[in-house]
Amino acid sequence: MAEAGRRARTDPTVVAILDAAPATVIGFGEDLLIDYVGPRTVHDFGYEPDELLGRSIDVLMHPDEIPAHHANLAAYFADASPRGRGGAQVFHGLRKDGSTFPVDIGLTPSRTPDGLWTIATIVDVTEQLATQEALRLLNRAYLTLARFNEAIVRAGSAEELYAAMCTVAVEQGGYLGAWVGRRGPGGLVAVATAGSLDDYIERLEISLDPDSPRGQGPTGRAMRTGEPQYSSDYVHDATTQPWHELGAAHGIAASATIPLRAGGRVVSALTLYSDRVHLFDAGMRDLLEGMAHNISFALDAFADRERLERVAAQRSDLLRRLVLAQEEERARIAADVHDDSVQALAAVDLRLGLLRRKVHEAAPDLEDGVVRLQDAVSEVTAGLRHLLFDLEPVASGVDLAELLRDAADHTFAPQSVTWSVDVAPGGSLDLADEMVTTALRIGQEALINVRKHARAREVRVLLTPDDAGVGVAVSDDGVGLPEAPGAGPGHRGMATMVDRAEAAGGWCRVASGPDGTTVHYWVPRQAPPLVVS
Amino acid sequence: MDPFRVVVADDDRAFRGALVEVLSDDARYVVVGEAGTGEELLAVAERTRPDLVLLDVRMPGGGPEAARRLTRPGGPDAGPHAGGSSGPVVIAVSAHVGASGILAMLRAGATGYLAKGRLGDRLPEVVARMLDGELVLAAPGGIDALRQLLADAPAASVTDVR
């Protein structure tokens, strides 16, 4: 036995080479009996060479792994080719003191007249594995961070984001559990949870009171100080004492609590639980704190958006109510005009007609006076009728161009004014109802001003839709506005047009010269999302 | 010849009174009833069988609804001058002169439209012509209403008159 080994050992060159190896080197024959023990063996396994020589290599193996070793060795002896290190399988060496450590084993066969002699190179891979594991964790942390950022981008509200964060932490991050607590009545309220710790999280009873032991844990501190709190070894951490029993029962070994801010204030905290102690090293902490920053940024964005939406909703609502109130007022005036003035004048008109017949027969010299009275009544009635049309409610389901055509038709009907209403190509005239009303009323006002003051021969109305709204230009070739702004009879109407446009989030400009006047205005399709100051 | 039997429907008493007075002054007409609402009008028309109804467009229950009920088959019978079972001639009277209002009344069976405040001393003559079968839309929106009505009517219904 061990003939080959002894021969190898007596060969000074072979021994010198083997002795210089930076790992444990063991030589053995097909009988698996050790006949060479390298000098590093004592460092790795705790055995002096003499303690191993002549013994089976099994003595260095983790007892659970001996059958696997033997299967491997059988295959190895069958083809007797070198087995390099770095196999997929990690074995464990057994030290003299009974402890084990991960090893990587290489086998180099050497044929001798006495059979196969094998040199096993055994490397302690504890550190290598630890590095690999750390890398793997960091990788996973990066992936988790990427998913967190995805969730931040996709979430539409704080609640959605909290839920997504917890899910990502558990599913991607491999954490035992995650939860987000928010200030609530009587302490911290869990607003989102994920993982297998629901029972644990439910029973946390975290206080925000610094004087209570339940307020001195990582979450309480994070909420108070705004600093992240890590419990590297949860069940031995004095500050987590109230939760040790519960935490241990759930396999919690470490925790990280990251405060989240909105508007500069700490509003909530994300807590992650791991089954590994000392998981949260400097690299992980950097990642988590960077992530918390992003989340806080998103929370601010949600708050901004919410404020914006609230303002926009308020504004749209106000605008609708304003337009509605104006329309109701118009309808009321129209009803009054109709009921009182027009009816009364119409009755006068009829009675004057009757009077004229009688006068015609009885006192022909008075007839002319009656005719003039009739004319006066007709003129006033015609004026009131214009007013009635102008006050008429806006027909629904009719587009702005059609409404402006009706308005122009009616406004200029008895006069020799040429008018046109055209729509520039390239957009639809779809507008919210209150915007149609606003745009029509401004246009009507402009047309009435032309009729009353411009002495124009031609009026052109051009509608120009764009993505955000519709522009309207009402141009005439009349005498223009009086020089001093505010002096002209149309001034109040101008101010009303500008007010209407601006209240709707649009604008209205009036340009006037000796060649005519252009009223140019624009209204958005919907009430705008921002208050225009 | 017997005078035309007329019902005047308008919720404005002053205007209705003026209408009644003008028509009563003319030997061609006899005002057989007055109404201030659509319901009253139907009842009065049932009872008096007028040849002609002057119908206010904006009075309560008036306008197209009342015109439809007056002219539909099974509605109140008309006087002898209006052609028997076809119901009375309905003439709309309104302060509103827009095409849409005129159109609505024509569709509801009215065959004339008078704008309040433009009649002067012509009312008896205009009404006589309407009773004679003439179409009178004495309001600025009349032409537009007619054009729209023709545009809406299917071409097939136009009769070849050669």
Side-chain angles (χ1 to χ4, degrees), chain A residues 338-339 342-351 353-354 356-358 374 377-378 381 385 388-389 392 409-410, chain B residues 10-12 14-15 17-19 21-22 25-26 58 95-97 115-121 123-125 144:
Chain A
H338 175 260
D339 291 350
V342 175
Q343 301 273 34
L345 282 169
V348 169
D349 170 63
L350 283 177
R351 288 183 196 280
L354 190 61
R356 186 180 169 185
R357 281 165 177 274
K358 295 190 167 161
Q374 275 184 311
V377 169
S378 290
T381 306
R385 200 171 286 119
L388 275 181
F389 177 83
E392 238 170 51
D409 188 25
H410 191 272
Chain B
D10 198 306
D11 60 334
D12 187 86
F15 183 76
L19 273 180
E21 205 176 309
V22 169
D25 190 60
D26 195 299
R58 299 260 167 140
H96 293 264
V97 295
K116 286 183 185 177
R118 295 171 59 97
L119 295 167
D121 48 2
L123 179 72
E125 273 71 33
D144 274 346

Side-chain angles (χ1 to χ4, degrees), chain A residues 155-179:
Chain A
S157 67
E159 287 68 25
E160 251 179 77
L161 178 57
Y162 289 151
M165 277 174 358
C166 292
T167 307
V168 168
V170 171
E171 288 178 3
Q172 292 290 329
Y175 291 98
L176 279 181
W179 69 288

Side-chain angles (χ1 to χ4, degrees), chain A residues 285-307:
Chain A
R285 291 180 187 204
D286 279 354
L287 284 184
L288 288 174
E289 285 161 30
M291 181 200 79
H293 184 77
N294 288 355
I295 293 170
S296 296
F297 187 78
L299 291 178
D300 278 344
F302 292 141
D304 284 350
R305 196 190 306 170
E306 216 176 275
R307 241 191 329 273

Side-chain angles (χ1 to χ4, degrees), chain A residues 11 21 72 143 168 190 225-226 229 242 264 364 424 432 491 496-497:
Chain A
D11 183 332
N72 280 358
L143 187 65
V168 168
T225 62
Q229 302 293 328
H491 173 66
T496 307
M497 288 190 284

